[in-house]
Amino acid sequence: MAAVIELPISTYESVVDPDWCPGCGDFGVLRALEIAAGKLGIQPKDLMVVSGIGCSSNLPGFIHTYGVHSLHGRAVAVASGIKLANHGLKVVITGGDGDGYGIGIGHFIHAMRRNLDLTYIVMNNQIYGLTTGQASPTTMKEMRTKSTPQGNLESPINPVALALVSGATYVSRGYSGENKHLADLIAGAIEHHGFSLVDVFSPCVTYNKVNTYEFFRKRVYKLEGEDGYDTANGEVALQRSFEWGDRIPIGVFYRDVQPTYDDSEPALHNGPLVQQQMGMSKELFDELMEEFM
Amino acid sequence: MNTRREVTVGIGGAAGDGLDKTGDTIAKTCSRLGLYLNAYNSYQSVIRGGHIWLRVRISEQKIYSHGDHLNVLIALNQDAIERHAREVASGGAIIYNSDKLKVDPVLIGDNVLTAPMPVAELIKPMGKLPAIMQNTVSMGAMLYLLNLEFEMAAEVLADTFKHKGDAVVEQNVNIARAGYDYAKEKFVPLGYEWDFTRVRRPFVTGNECFAIGAVAAGCKFYSAYPMTPASSILHWMANHGAKCGVLVKQCEDELSVVNMAIGAGHAGVRAMCGTSGGGFALMTEAIGMAGMIEAPVVVIAVQRGGPSTGIPTKTEQADLNQVYGASQGDYPRVIIAPTDTTDCYFTAVEAHNLADKYQLPVTIISDLLLSEHPETVEADAFHHDVPIERGEIISEWPDGEKGQFKRYAFTRSGISPRALPGTAGGMYVAATDEHDEEGVVISDVFTAPPVRRKIQEKRMRKMEAVLGELQPPQLEGPADAELTLVGWGSTKGVIHEAITMLAEQGISANHLQIKYLHPFHTKEVSEILGKCKRTICVEVNFTGQFARHLRAETGYSVNDLVLKYDGEPFEPHHIVEEVRAIIEGKPRSTDVSLDEAREIAYHYIRVHLADKVRPANLEQVDGDDERMWLVELAGRESGEKEGELRIGVETGSVYSWEPKKVLSAGAGSD
Ligand SMILES: Cc1ncc(C[n+]2csc(CCOP(=O)(O)OP(=O)(O)O)c2C)c(N)n1
Ligand code: SF4
Ligand SMILES: [Mg+2]
């Protein structure tokens, strides 16, 4: 393998400054992604960042790479199409909890089941930020939001557990306040060959007054720091994914190497689709027509 | 009797009776002999049981629809006899397995040959065989009755079964031969004479043409979620994808289908997806996205009967409003309604070229009839070396020297050269939020009304060039005709035949068929219609969606509408009858006709009376609220009256079922 030439984070600096509220957790995620890409030496032209709609989904506009800022909930599907068309690209999906675990949850589950080689970073602020503070699929029970003034009646989704049972081969959780750790998780996810999830506690300082930096600072601890935590053990990972309360684990829960969809798809054996010859030979045409005669 | 050079064969049976295979053998045999075919399968269910009714029209001349007639019925079950025996025209025949089935004389018209085949006896010498062999026996008899060449059928059977080995081939040929020989011994041929040119022509469906045309055009990505009647594109692609270099993806839903296709198109691969109305409804937001981020994608929308889940295996042209109204906002897009099977091939090619050159979504709107009915197309109808026009794509962008790449450069043509992801220096974000030339979002924090105005104009400017590229429609037939029939999409062939029939009846009509629905040739169409004497729009829907669209585009209102929305496609006589009624000033009646009353009775009998009776006499009588069809029901075995059914002439409601015990003694089975 060729030696990796690391790139400075300025490589990815966009002409556009982020428009997030000062203190928004998403700044840390953007920074961590730039650090990770730089560390892996990924050229901006080879990185494709795909998002949906939400505060968090504005991220592609703030990084100098290729990007698609797609529709609310559809980032994973668009990214899947891009990856299948050109699997030479590194494809990273960035979005929010509403985008990925609400309106787009179907694509999320099926992409994991397919083990497509995609990295999915979810800025999970447990609220709908862009639409000014309604309950999201990860909003804690009983929390009051604009749409649940009497308290949220629904239980939150557990993204890590969901990923574990859906076939994701790299399942992790980070915290925007732990930037270096998060950058490592993201780098690991991009390097991982297969579907990787990085669920990130990325506080919305404006609309979520419960799940704040203070909230997480007191609770998060790193799985990596623990003696003998085995990322190959799915059962233990699932157990730990339910830990929520005074102590909340972050880090890589689970990692496994399985054939990816792009490895197994015969149409891709001759290289990326986008580079393949277009059109049809006379021989093939005649052969196809013969079936109709 | 004159020599006869055109025949329509109907095969009726249950799903699972192997009817498709038999139809295929007949079709291939005739096609290889150089005859033209047009077939239509009015299937009701894709699973075992439902009634399947396949009609194959065979002619020496090019034909444009499955026609109006039925000459030979091959009945594979009793239901087929019940439902179709009376449709067989004088001079025709009914072929059936007499071990199992009966043809009650009350069911057939004059001068129709009944051709009972003692299947068990005929195939006994060949050992124990599956029931499906009755099809092959009947087909053999049909070959004889229609004066078709047995050797050609034997060749087709050999090709069909060669993968199963010589023994199976021989067995099938022998069984067909037994039917053929038996017919020769017992029956007189029906008087057909053919000139076999032996020109080999493809016998294909519209969906197959979409698929192959797309491959020829360089399509490399096809995504779909199963939905009749688009699924056969998926099946063809899945079976041929590896050979043709196409990645075929069945997705979790149509949201994924279209978004993946757009992702692939954005990344530089020619991408296509297909669905029917329900799936298209889920796709619409993303189609607008493709317009906004200027990504090429081709979507095939194959209409079936709506609304809602509707009639999945029946045809209609009622999704025009939906396709036209797809997605929020104004955005550039193309909508094409191919007009015949051959056209499906070239429409797929054209759609990919337009999508790439103008960087926009192209929707091809088809329908079950066009997509699924097979027909022979001319031997040289298709060719492999179609033009592939990819539009403007840059190969690199000297970032440092020229500044940020302007993906959405405000050009005069409206077309901004693309940088495919991976291109050195060309990094940009394709945003569904409004953006400037560089792709920088202007929707929210930085809004800029003039920039918004200019980019909207830039995008929409592309439509002028698209329109210039599309062939305007032309009026066919005599310019001074009394009538003009206007249609869109799949109805071209049937309208064409209806016009020929009208001419034979002394009514001169010409024909305007519209293929390009958007952008619309407003000027050309207005000019044409302005000169027409009286216009009738023919559509397979309830509200005349195209006539309304035409009015919106041209300000022109057609004089009359001929509409059909019972799930079955137009046959030429339907159009002729309605056109005549219009000319004669009779308002179209929606009353239940005698044939329809019989169909309604059959439906009732199937649901409530376990197929034990059949409608015998039908007559109109007075009822309390409306006039009624009084349908006498007779036992299928006994032929005796078992009860009566009353069906509203106006409403079609089944008012009452009077079992025999009320009328006389004994019990009904309701
Ligand atoms: C189809 C559709 N429905 C609703 C919206 C409105 N909308 C935009 S962002 C959003 C929620 C965003 O929440 P999340 O994904 O958690 O992102 P955050 O803003 O919290 O980062 C909604 C409902 C939309 N754009 N599209
Ligand atoms: S509203 Fe919340 S999520 Fe959105 S930018 Fe502000 S802090 Fe971040
Ligand atoms: Mg959120």
Side-chain angles (χ1 to χ4, degrees):
Chain A
M1 216 170 110
V4 170
I5 302 167
E6 292 194 18
L7 297 168
I9 62 166
S10 61
T11 313
Y12 309 102
E13 194 182 314
S14 162
V15 292
V16 183
D17 288 334
D19 56 10
W20 292 311
C21 307
C24 173
D26 298 350
F27 283 100
V29 179
L30 173 63
R31 172 54 62 102
L33 173 57
E34 290 170 342
I35 295 171
K39 207 167 105 181
L40 299 174
I42 304 172
Q43 293 292 338
K45 75 175 179 61
D46 297 324
L47 183 55
M48 169 54 96
V49 184
V50 184
S51 70
I53 297 293
C55 294
S56 42
S57 289
N58 289 345
L59 188 145
F62 312 138
I63 185 167
H64 185 54
T65 65
Y66 280 96
V68 179
H69 185 176
S70 79
L71 295 169
H72 192 37
R74 308 298 155 226
V76 173
V78 172
S80 300
I82 293 172
K83 185 72 187 183
L84 292 172
N86 186 353
H87 62 272
L89 297 169
K90 293 278 181 206
V91 181
V92 174
I93 308 158
T94 57
D97 43 316
D99 197 68
Y101 304 150
I103 192 167
I105 193 165
H107 306 315
F108 171 51
I109 292 173
H110 289 280
M112 292 191 282
R113 181 169 85 74
R114 273 174 207 132
N115 197 29
L116 259 167
D117 185 15
L118 299 168
T119 293
Y120 192 12
I121 303 170
V122 182
M123 287 158 259
N124 183 356
N125 54 14
Q126 299 168 264
I127 199 84
Y128 281 9
L130 191 67
T131 46
T132 70
Q134 302 84 357
S136 96
T138 49
T139 297
M140 283 162 47
K141 215 164 174 182
E142 287 161 22
M143 181 166 146
R144 290 170 196 266
T145 71
K146 262 196 193 161
S147 58
T148 58
Q150 324 292 334
N152 182 21
L153 299 178
E154 297 176 357
S155 305
I157 277 178
N158 181 335
V160 170
L162 183 62
L164 287 168
V165 300
S166 302
T169 47
Y170 180 105
V171 182
S172 68
R173 180 155 65 205
Y175 167 43
S176 172
E178 295 267 5
N179 210 251
K180 228 191 81 37
H181 178 250
L182 180 58
D184 287 344
L185 290 181
I186 294 175
I190 296 176
E191 259 191 315
H192 174 75
H193 190 55
F195 191 95
S196 47
L197 173 70
V198 187
D199 180 68
V200 187
F201 295 134
S202 179
C204 170
V205 294
T206 309
Y207 296 113
N208 189 335
K209 304 294 184 193
V210 175
N211 307 104
T212 58
Y213 286 103
E214 185 58 19
F215 177 93
F216 290 112
R217 193 174 308 127
K218 285 203 297 228
R219 289 170 169 84
V220 299
Y221 73 94
K222 299 191 184 98
L223 289 171
E224 289 85 343
E226 217 172 80
D227 262 358
Y229 184 83
D230 179 7
T231 57
N233 190 331
E235 269 173 53
V236 171
L238 193 58
Q239 244 169 35
R240 299 299 280 270
S241 74
F242 286 100
E243 203 176 339
W244 186 271
D246 291 346
R247 276 168 57 79
I248 303 173
I250 58 172
V252 177
F253 283 75
Y254 181 69
R255 190 196 321 237
D256 186 17
V257 180
Q258 293 288 335
T260 65
Y261 193 91
D262 15 334
D263 291 336
S264 313
E265 167 59 56
L268 301 181
H269 287 169
N270 300 325
L273 274 187
V274 71
Q275 283 161 20
Q276 289 178 29
Q277 177 85 35
M278 292 172 79
M280 183 153 43
S281 70
K282 176 87 169 63
E283 293 67 43
L284 176 59
F285 175 80
D286 289 343
E287 189 186 327
L288 296 175
M289 281 298 144
E290 196 51 37
E291 291 178 20
F292 299 114
M293 308 218 237
Chain B
M1 191 200 291
N2 286 336
T3 52
R4 305 166 74 188
R5 294 171 183 276
E6 180 177 312
V7 67
T8 300
V9 178
I11 314 175
D17 276 348
L19 191 154
D20 291 4
K21 273 249 152 57
T22 310
D24 214 47
T25 310
I26 295 171
K28 282 198 163 143
T29 302
C30 297
S31 178
R32 287 186 192 184
L33 289 169
L35 301 173
Y36 287 91
L37 292 103
N38 192 307
Y40 185 70
N41 192 349
S42 4
Y43 58 105
Q44 283 175 343
S45 153
V46 197
I47 46 168
R48 189 172 271 278
H51 180 63
I52 298 195
W53 177 229
L54 173 69
R55 265 189 303 169
V56 189
R57 181 178 173 201
I58 303 160
S59 175
E60 268 182 16
Q61 309 289 321
K62 170 92 186 136
I63 43 180
Y64 300 89
S65 78
H66 59 279
D68 292 313
H69 304 289
L70 177 64
N71 305 104
V72 174
L73 167 64
I74 297 178
L76 303 180
N77 64 9
Q78 196 61 44
D79 200 35
I81 294 172
E82 285 292 328
R83 306 285 286 277
H84 303 294
R86 57 171 69 77
E87 296 165 29
V88 177
S90 167
I94 300 171
I95 307 171
Y96 61 103
N97 179 354
S98 53
D99 301 342
K100 293 194 325 195
L101 314 176
K102 280 208 316 218
V103 178
D104 193 319
V106 302
L107 293 174
I108 59 173
D110 292 341
N111 190 28
V112 170
L113 170 76
T114 48
M117 306 300 290
V119 172
E121 187 189 314
L122 291 174
I123 64 175
K124 199 156 58 194
M126 285 154 251
K128 204 168 155 38
L129 292 166
I132 211 156
M133 290 308 175
Q134 65 166 335
N135 303 12
T136 312
V137 171
S138 297
M139 184 195 70
M142 181 215 77
L143 292 169
Y144 177 74
L145 292 176
L146 296 181
N147 195 20
L148 293 164
E149 204 177 273
F150 184 82
E151 284 65 36
M152 186 59 87
E155 184 189 304
V156 172
L157 286 171
D159 287 352
T160 310
F161 292 107
K162 69 172 174 250
H163 67 282
K164 292 191 176 169
D166 289 348
V168 176
V169 170
E170 203 186 306
Q171 191 178 62
N172 273 276
V173 172
N174 286 342
I175 292 164
R177 160 99 49 207
Y180 187 92
D181 289 346
Y182 181 80
K184 190 169 176 179
E185 189 189 316
K186 299 279 180 186
F187 314 120
V188 179
L190 301 177
Y192 287 86
E193 288 290 338
W194 308 101
D195 185 9
F196 297 134
T197 62
R198 292 172 207 279
V199 173
R200 283 165 69 93
R201 299 186 183 89
F203 180 63
V204 281
T205 66
N207 275 353
E208 287 159 346
C209 290
F210 286 137
I212 304 177
V215 174
C219 173
K220 298 245 160 268
F221 185 93
Y222 184 76
S223 50
Y225 184 83
M227 189 166 191
T228 305
S231 296
S232 53
I233 309 174
L234 171 64
H235 299 161
W236 192 92
M237 285 291 199
N239 276 327
H240 299 83
K243 193 183 277 178
C244 298
V246 180
L247 193 156
V248 184
K249 190 77 210 80
Q250 180 182 334
C251 301
E252 59 272 22
D253 52 35
E254 286 87 353
L255 300 164
S256 181
V257 165
V258 70
N259 282 284
M260 272 203 205
I262 291 168
H266 176 80
V269 158
R270 285 202 159 174
M272 183 165 89
C273 57
T275 185
S276 188
F280 189 85
L282 298 183
M283 292 185 176
T284 55
E285 189 191 17
I287 291 172
M289 164 169 80
M292 185 61 151
I293 67 171
E294 305 194 45
V297 69
V298 176
V299 180
I300 304 183
V302 187
Q303 301 163 98
R304 65 193 209 186
S308 197
T309 307
I311 26 177
T313 57
K314 298 282 167 185
T315 201
E316 203 163 75
Q317 292 184 302
D319 295 352
L320 181 63
N321 288 347
Q322 169 170 260
V323 168
Y324 200 69
S327 206
Q328 64 274 28
D330 287 320
Y331 62 99
R333 72 310 202 359
V334 176
I335 305 170
I336 312 177
T339 57
D340 62 34
T341 305
T342 306
D343 199 24
C344 291
Y345 185 90
F346 293 104
T347 297
V349 176
E350 185 181 28
H352 279 286
N353 284 335
L354 291 171
D356 252 358
K357 272 196 292 186
Y358 297 100
Q359 307 170 15
L360 41 65
V362 179
T363 300
I364 298 174
I365 180 167
S366 175
D367 55 37
L368 182 140
L369 171 71
L370 177 59
S371 276
E372 296 224 311
H373 91 273
E375 67 175 57
T376 44
V377 297
E378 295 299 347
D380 58 357
F382 310 134
H383 47 91
H384 75 285
D385 51 346
V386 297
I388 296 180
E389 298 157 358
R390 299 233 52 195
E392 295 178 57
I393 298 174
I394 63 159
S395 58
E396 59 170 342
W397 185 259
D399 205 3
E401 294 158 41
K402 294 175 124 180
Q404 167 94 11
F405 171 61
K406 288 185 183 156
R407 165 64 184 94
Y408 300 108
F410 293 172
T411 58
R412 284 232 162 78
S413 65
I415 300 170
S416 320
R418 294 207 279 160
L420 303 184
T423 304
M427 289 74 70
Y428 73 98
V429 178
T432 60
D433 277 73
E434 190 58 286
H435 41 263
D436 67 11
E437 288 183 280
E438 295 177 354
V440 172
V441 168
I442 56 163
S443 53
D444 214 356
V445 178
F446 308 105
T447 57
V451 178
R452 150 67 185 192
R453 177 165 77 83
K454 281 304 175 192
I455 192 159
Q456 181 69 332
E457 288 167 5
K458 173 210 105 75
R459 275 192 300 262
M460 297 310 286
R461 205 146 59 225
K462 296 191 286 187
M463 297 308 292
E464 295 161 25
V466 174
L467 184 62
E469 192 170 313
L470 307 178
Q471 183 74 36
Q474 272 166 358
L475 193 67
E476 283 183 13
D480 60 346
E482 297 153 48
L483 287 178
T484 299
L485 300 193
V486 182
W488 63 280
S490 71
T491 50
K492 181 174 127 183
V494 72
I495 294 177
H496 175 89
E497 292 195 337
I499 285 177
T500 308
M501 283 167 66
L502 285 167
E504 283 161 9
Q505 299 175 17
I507 299 167
S508 93
N510 55 26
H511 182 188
L512 182 66
Q513 193 73 15
I514 306 290
K515 169 176 174 179
Y516 299 107
L517 300 177
H518 189 85
F520 198 78
H521 289 99
T522 301
K523 186 169 148 286
E524 293 86 346
V525 172
S526 299
E527 262 169 39
I528 293 172
L529 293 174
K531 291 185 196 138
C532 294
K533 293 184 187 153
R534 182 170 186 170
T535 51
I536 301 175
C537 191
V538 180
E539 296 188 60
V540 190
N541 59 44
F542 185 82
T543 53
Q545 295 189 8
F546 180 74
R548 186 161 165 260
H549 175 55
L550 185 69
R551 192 155 67 240
E553 291 285 353
T554 63
Y556 182 91
S557 299
V558 294
N559 299 104
D560 295 284
L561 296 169
V562 170
L563 304 173
K564 195 170 194 295
Y565 40 85
D566 64 355
E568 294 298 328
F570 273 117
E571 291 170 11
H573 73 98
H574 294 131
I575 299 174
V576 170
E577 284 155 19
E578 290 221 21
V579 166
R580 291 197 64 123
I582 287 168
I583 301 175
E584 288 159 17
K586 293 189 209 132
R588 187 171 80 99
S589 166
T590 53
D591 283 356
V592 174
S593 70
L594 181 122
D595 285 340
E596 288 176 327
R598 190 186 289 118
E599 278 284 326
I600 292 172
Y602 268 119
H603 169 70
Y604 188 91
I605 290 164
R606 186 172 57 230
V607 176
H608 296 285
L609 304 174
D611 277 341
K612 292 210 175 77
V613 294
R614 73 164 66 101
N617 271 341
L618 292 96
E619 59 173 326
Q620 275 199 22
V621 296
D622 280 331
D624 291 342
D625 286 339
E626 57 173 321
R627 281 187 67 77
M628 300 276 181
W629 281 107
L630 178 64
V631 185
E632 186 188 306
L633 303 182
R636 289 197 188 179
E637 292 294 324
S638 64
E640 276 169 33
K641 182 167 170 177
E642 296 273 345
E644 282 172 5
L645 214 52
R646 267 162 227 266
I647 297 166
V649 169
E650 196 188 322
T651 62
S653 178
V654 179
Y655 280 91
S656 61
W657 151 244
E658 302 283 353
K660 194 159 67 176
K661 66 171 181 249
V662 179
L663 300 164
S664 56
S669 50
D670 192 14

